[in-house]
Each structure stands twice: as C-alpha cells, then as structure tokens.
C-alpha cells in the first residue's frame, strides 16, 4: 500500500513540475511575422457560420517573448471569433511564444446581413499596442439570401417532418406555400431540410436562380406536383450545397437530392447545373403514357456521391445532357421504364472510392426480401432504352451495361454512340443484350474509341481535335450543342461539338 502511495506522489510531483514554466520571456518588440497579412474568409450566407481559417504568428527572435495583448479591433462586438493557441475569445492577454517558434490563430465568423451596413465585412486582429502594434486584416463578403426551412415545435423543439402519401416520415421539411412557388434570380435561395412541391402545384425557377441546400436537404416534387427550371445558355440555374468557400467547390455528398416522386408530372430541367449532392436527380414512376416524367435538356450534373440520375421505372427524355462523376453510376435506369437520350455525354472518372457500377446501367427489375426473408426479384417492362449520338466513357473497363431479367419487355436501340466496353475477362460474354454486332439493337457505334476530353479529371467533357466522336453523329433535330454551337452539318457524338486548340 505504501508503495502505491509513493508512486502516486511521484506522479503528482512530475505532473506539477511539467506544468511549471521553465523559461523566461521578454516583451514583444513589434517584430512578429505572419503567414498572411490578410485573412480572407471567402463568401458566406447571412447567419451561416464560416469555415475555420488559420493564421500563423512567428517569433523569429532568439528569445521567448510575451505579447501583452491580442484582440479584435472591434472588440467584443466583432462578428469574428478567435482561438489563440487553443484559447477561444476576442481579447487575450500575455500570449507567449518560444524563441524561433510560432502559434496558430484560428478565425471564424457568423454575420447577420441585415445587421451590417456593408456586405463586405472587415475587422483587424491587433497584436500589442502603441508603437509595437501590428495588425492582420480580416475580410468577409456576406450574401443575403431567401431562407426556406421547416418550423420547430415551440414546446418539444422538434423540427417539422413531411407527411407523404398520408404517412408520417422522418424527413425534415415542409411544403412550399403558394407565395414561394417562383424562385427568381434576385438573391440566392438556401434550403434547410426538404422543400416539397404540393400536388397540383408548380415550382417555377427562373433563369439565373441559385439554389443552395444545407446538409441533409433537397427538393421533393410530390404526386401531381411539377418542377419547371427555365435556365438559359447565358443564365443557368444552379443547384448545389450552401458552403461557398472554394474548398467545397468539388466536395460530393453535401446535400440530398431533387426527388421527383411517383406521380409527379411534366418536370423540366433546362440549362441547369446540379452538383455535389448524393443523388443529383431521383425520378420515380412512368406517369402518363408517352409523356416524360422528366424532360431534361442542356443540363450538367457533376460530382454526386451516389448517382447523377437514378430512374426507378421512370420515363426520362434528355438531350445535350452531361453527367460526370458519381460514386456509383452517372445514369442508372432501373426497374424498367423509358429512357431516351440524344447527344449526351456520360463520363464517370470518380476517384473518391471504389466504383463497381458502370457509367450507364439499365435494368428491368428490382430485388426485395419477402415475408420469409427470401430475396426475390420482380420484373417491370423496359419500354425503351434508346441512346443516339452519346458518349459513354469513364475510368472503368466496362462503362455500359444492359441487365435483363426475363419476364418483362426489354426494348432498346443504341445508335451512333461512342462506348467504352473492354470486357477483357469475358464477364459479359453470355449477355445477349451486349452483343454489339446485333444490328437489330446496335447500329454505327464506336466501341473503345478515344473521346479526347479536354479535361476529364476536371469534368470538362468538351472534345478535342483527336476525338473519334468527330463527325460521327447521326443528324437529328438537336441542331445546337450544349454551348450553343451549330451542329446542323457534320455533327459530333456527345453533348459538345469539338474544339480545335490553337
């Protein structure tokens, strides 16, 4: 017992001695150096916290120093928050830096747009005072926005959840009011939770509008609801996350999806950019026979952590569509349906994780567990899978798969496409739907040609002068490419006419 007590006493002595300052300091002489003279906190939305930015403060002298004071020029009223060498606050006293050493200052901010006179909000970090005072500028641009968010129960403080098909769900969100059914380009929209379009209502999004989603947020078009996105070549409509800092430009999975539910109708996406979600667009059900659930034109979908477009027994018609990187498939048309794409580019060079699905996957079934726990596959009719003048490419060896299960229709026609399909290990040798010599289903396709993308890892899928897609497209009514270039004569395969580098 005495031995244990002795050990504990020794440990306590060592702990106390290790905390004792064993160096002396001199006062700072105003010769600090900084990793930057201005900290730009990039652009933020009103009342949304920024990322954390850092500033390194160097003591280049051979003496340990003490800085009498570090503070924000605007003091405790400042909208900036500091953390100096691990201590949070806005005013700090006697901050020590060892000889030839440094400390970190971390900076964050949250700003109410309505409470500041200028959207360019600034302050300074002041080091020391008098003749020894040095400073580093802080600069942030704050944007006003229209915020759409669910209500919170004042008693339980629980956030409202959507009711779909008469059933309560765990999806946080609410239905849009009639006064909210037009999104303009006057200022950005920031959506928390899921904003839902009710039955027999249409959300119209005007050219140039910018829609930003918070984490776990998105847009739902309910049964009998409609979405009309009316972007133009010069004023595209953009859907992305609500973090505006450059670091988040290409971070996938920042928000949920645009979900066109079963029974939604006449949805249109024109000149739209959708990026950095989980599923760019999720489309359910055939809807009215012969009328697409979704008509999508001149639209770019990039960098989604699961799918660019996931159709489930859906009817989708697209032209001049570009779908880039996705963690699973750029386009998945599943559980049958109807999929018609002309002059589109599906190019999946996802490199954030292992991708097992091809860039384009089409099937006519779904798998579920029955009451006995057995896995059961059920088929649906694939009414059409028609691809004309499309590029289907990516970093996998096989980027196009038709997966048929007997028991339903399976109609498809693949014409004048450039397709990457290098089945080097014969995994699909017995798949009759992937017989490119079958002229009843395949015509004038180029297998394993060179698309010559301008910047495939930067999701720039314009084609260069060495592309095998040049002049190989079939003439169609889609006579203008995604960038407004004429393709009436000698059209190229894909969403873009080729570029000749100077």
């Amino acid at each position: 017992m005495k031995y244990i007590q002795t050990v504990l006493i020794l440990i306590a002595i060592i702990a106390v001695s290790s905390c004792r300052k064993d160096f002396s300091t001199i006062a700072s002489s105003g010769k600090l150096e900084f990793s930057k003279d201005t900290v730009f906190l990039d652009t933020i939305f009103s009342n949304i916290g920024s990322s954390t930015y850092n500033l390194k403060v160097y003591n280049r002298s051979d003496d340990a120093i003490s800085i009498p004071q570090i503070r924000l020029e605007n003091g405790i009223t400042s909208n900036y928050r500091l953390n100096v060498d691990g201590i949070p606050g806005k005013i700090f006293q006697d901050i020590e830096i060892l000889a030839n050493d440094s400390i970190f200052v971390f900076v964050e901010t949250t700003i109410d747009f309505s409470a500041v006179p200028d959207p360019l909000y600034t302050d300074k970090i002041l080091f020391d005072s008098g003749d020894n005072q040095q400073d580093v500028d802080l600069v942030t641009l704050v944007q006003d926005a229209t915020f759409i968010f669910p209500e919170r129960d004042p008693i339980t403080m629980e956030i409202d959840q959507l009711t779909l098909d008469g059933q309560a769900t765990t999806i946080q969100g609410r239905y849009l009011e009639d006064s909210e059914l037009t999104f303009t380009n006057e200022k950005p929209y920031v959506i928390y939770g899921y904003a839902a379009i009710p039955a027999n209502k249409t959300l119209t999004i005007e050219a140039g509008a910018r829609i930003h989603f918070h984490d776990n947020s998105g847009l739902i078009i309910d049964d009998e609801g409609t979405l009309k996105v009316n972007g133009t070549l010069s004023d595209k409509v953009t859907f992305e996350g609500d973090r505006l800092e450059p670091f988040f430009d290409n971070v996938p999975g920042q928000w949920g999806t645009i979900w066109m539910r079963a029974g939604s109708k006449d949805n249109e996406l024109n000149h739209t950019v959708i990026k950095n979600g989980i599923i760019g667009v999720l489309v359910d059900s055939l809807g009215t026979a012969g009328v697409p659930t979704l008509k999508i034109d001149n639209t770019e979908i990039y960098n989604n952590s699961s799918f660019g477009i996931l159709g489930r027994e859906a009817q989708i018609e697209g032209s001049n569509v570009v779908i880039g990187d996705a963690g699973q498939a750029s386009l998945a048309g599943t559980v049958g349906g109807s999929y018609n794409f002309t002059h589109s580019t599906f190019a999946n060079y996802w490199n954030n994780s292992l991708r097992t699905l091809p860039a384009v996957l089409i099937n006519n079934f779904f798998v579920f567990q029955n009451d006995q726990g057995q896995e059961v596959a059920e088929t649906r009719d694939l009414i059409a899978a028609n691809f004309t003048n499309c590029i289907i490419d990516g970093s996998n060896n096989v980027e196009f798969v038709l997966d048929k299960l007997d028991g339903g229709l399976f109609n498809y026609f693949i014409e004048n496409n450039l397709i990457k399909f290098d089945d080097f290990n014969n995994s699909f040798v017995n798949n009759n739907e992937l017989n490119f010599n079958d002229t009843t289903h395949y015509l004038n396709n180029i297998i394993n040609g060179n698309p010559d993308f301008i910047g495939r890892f930067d999701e720039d899928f314009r084609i260069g002068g060495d592309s095998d897609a040049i002049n190989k497209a079939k003439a169609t009514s889609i006579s203008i490419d995604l960038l407004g270039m004429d393709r009436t004569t000698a059209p190229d395969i894909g969403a873009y006419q080729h570029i000749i580098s100077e």
Side-chain angles (χ1 to χ4, degrees):
M1 184 68 179
K2 289 183 179 180
Y3 172 76
I4 295 174
Q5 290 175 336
T6 302
V7 171
L8 292 174
I9 291 170
L10 286 172
I11 291 173
I13 292 172
I14 292 170
V16 171
S17 63
S18 66
C19 296
R20 190 174 58 226
K21 186 174 72 174
D22 55 1
F23 62 92
S24 59
T25 63
I26 63 173
S28 172
S29 60
K31 296 181 180 179
L32 299 170
E33 294 183 18
F34 308 101
S35 57
K36 57 194 80 172
D37 56 16
T38 302
V39 179
F40 295 97
L41 279 77
D42 298 304
T43 304
I44 62 169
F45 284 122
S46 178
N47 292 309
I48 295 180
S50 71
S51 295
T52 301
Y53 295 77
N54 67 71
L55 169 73
K56 204 167 186 180
V57 183
Y58 298 95
N59 170 22
R60 303 293 192 189
S61 74
D62 293 329
D63 297 306
I65 63 171
S66 176
I67 307 171
Q69 186 179 77
I70 299 175
R71 65 182 179 90
L72 288 161
E73 185 175 53
N74 290 334
I76 60 173
T77 65
S78 177
N79 287 307
Y80 291 104
R81 301 181 298 276
L82 302 181
N83 184 302
V84 176
D85 209 24
I87 303 170
K90 297 188 179 185
I91 300 174
F92 307 84
Q93 306 290 337
D94 300 322
I95 300 300
E96 297 168 347
I97 310 179
L98 294 174
N100 296 300
D101 204 351
S102 61
I103 60 170
F104 276 106
V105 176
F106 296 99
V107 188
E108 298 176 335
T109 188
T110 304
I111 303 171
D112 181 353
F113 182 87
S114 65
V116 294
D118 190 328
L120 190 66
Y121 184 76
T122 63
D123 200 347
K124 295 177 184 290
I125 307 176
L126 303 181
F127 296 83
D128 212 331
S129 59
D131 292 339
N132 290 335
Q133 187 174 91
Q134 297 173 265
D135 62 73
V136 172
D137 292 327
L138 303 177
V139 179
T140 307
L141 180 65
V142 56
Q143 282 194 33
D144 193 13
T146 298
F147 290 87
I148 296 174
F149 49 86
E151 299 296 328
R152 187 187 292 269
D153 188 288
I155 299 175
T156 66
M157 299 305 292
E158 292 183 354
I159 297 174
D160 286 354
Q161 297 174 332
L162 282 167
T163 297
L164 300 174
D165 299 328
Q167 301 293 319
T169 74
T170 59
I171 300 172
Q172 293 181 344
R174 66 172 175 86
Y175 284 95
L176 295 172
E177 302 289 340
D178 286 355
S179 61
E180 299 173 309
L181 290 175
T182 299
F183 286 5
T184 71
N185 62 9
E186 293 178 5
K187 54 185 178 180
Y189 290 79
V190 180
I191 296 176
Y192 281 71
Y194 276 81
I197 304 169
N200 302 309
K201 301 290 184 179
T202 298
L203 171 61
T204 301
I205 301 182
E206 297 179 354
R210 293 160 291 159
I211 297 89
H212 299 265
F213 298 104
H214 196 62
D215 187 28
N216 296 318
S217 300
L219 188 63
I220 293 177
I221 303 89
D222 206 0
D223 183 17
E224 297 296 323
T226 300
L227 172 66
K228 300 284 189 185
V229 179
N230 299 323
T232 65
L233 177 60
S234 58
D235 286 301
K236 298 177 182 180
V237 171
T238 302
F239 295 88
E240 60 182 320
D242 66 348
R243 301 310 300 262
L244 303 183
E245 301 92 331
F247 173 80
F248 290 93
D249 280 351
N250 295 297
V251 176
Q254 294 181 46
W255 56 282
T257 185
I258 300 170
W259 182 15
M260 299 174 180
R261 296 192 66 235
S264 68
K265 59 184 182 180
D266 302 326
N267 299 298
E268 295 181 0
L269 297 174
N270 298 291
H271 287 288
T272 304
V273 177
I274 301 169
K275 56 184 289 191
N276 298 336
I278 296 173
I279 299 174
V281 186
L282 172 59
V283 189
D284 281 331
S285 91
L286 280 169
T288 306
V291 179
T293 312
L294 169 62
K295 191 172 186 299
I296 177 170
D297 299 299
N298 303 300
T299 289
E300 303 155 76
I301 302 176
Y302 299 125
N303 202 40
N304 294 284
S305 59
S306 289
F307 297 93
I309 294 180
L310 172 59
R312 299 186 295 202
E313 200 176 4
Q315 186 162 324
I316 303 174
E317 180 181 310
S319 65
N320 285 340
V321 175
V322 175
I323 308 181
D325 294 351
Q328 297 190 51
S330 299
L331 169 68
T334 66
V335 203
S338 177
Y339 308 94
N340 294 279
F341 284 89
T342 305
H343 276 297
S344 295
T345 298
F346 309 94
N348 198 340
Y349 291 89
W350 176 265
N351 59 9
N352 292 302
S353 60
L354 178 65
R355 175 170 63 92
T356 59
L357 296 183
V360 173
L361 169 67
I362 305 293
N363 71 32
N364 68 331
F365 61 89
F366 66 99
V367 178
F368 65 97
Q369 283 192 339
N370 63 18
D371 294 339
Q372 289 74 45
Q374 299 169 318
E375 193 173 86
V376 178
E378 188 169 316
T379 61
R380 292 287 188 269
D381 288 338
L382 179 66
I383 296 170
N386 299 323
F387 293 84
T388 305
N389 300 338
C390 296
I391 296 177
I392 302 173
D393 202 275
S395 53
N396 286 354
N397 292 305
V398 172
E399 293 292 10
F400 177 72
V401 171
L402 300 175
D403 192 7
K404 175 185 176 183
L405 190 65
D406 290 336
L409 295 177
F410 203 90
N411 297 321
Y412 59 99
F413 193 69
I414 316 300
E415 183 177 13
N416 288 78
N417 300 281
L418 191 154
I419 301 172
K420 185 175 182 181
F421 189 90
D422 182 12
D423 187 22
F424 69 94
N425 58 3
N426 294 321
S427 297
F428 299 93
V429 68
N430 294 319
N431 186 327
N432 294 327
E433 285 66 50
L434 293 172
N435 177 8
F436 298 112
N437 296 316
D438 174 11
T439 56
T440 61
H441 293 102
Y442 293 92
L443 188 64
N444 299 328
N445 296 289
I446 301 170
I447 307 302
N448 297 321
N450 174 23
D452 190 29
F453 292 129
I454 297 296
R456 63 182 183 177
F457 294 112
D458 297 319
E459 299 203 287
D460 183 352
F461 300 119
R462 295 172 297 165
I463 58 174
D466 293 329
S467 176
D468 291 329
I470 295 174
N471 300 341
K472 298 296 175 59
K474 173 185 177 181
T476 69
S477 61
I478 313 300
S479 59
I480 303 295
D481 83 347
L482 181 57
L483 297 177
M485 300 291 293
D486 187 272
R487 60 156 73 100
T488 305
T489 59
D492 299 340
I493 294 172
Y496 302 103
Q497 286 292 98
H498 69 281
I499 294 173
I500 300 297
S501 299
E502 297 181 358

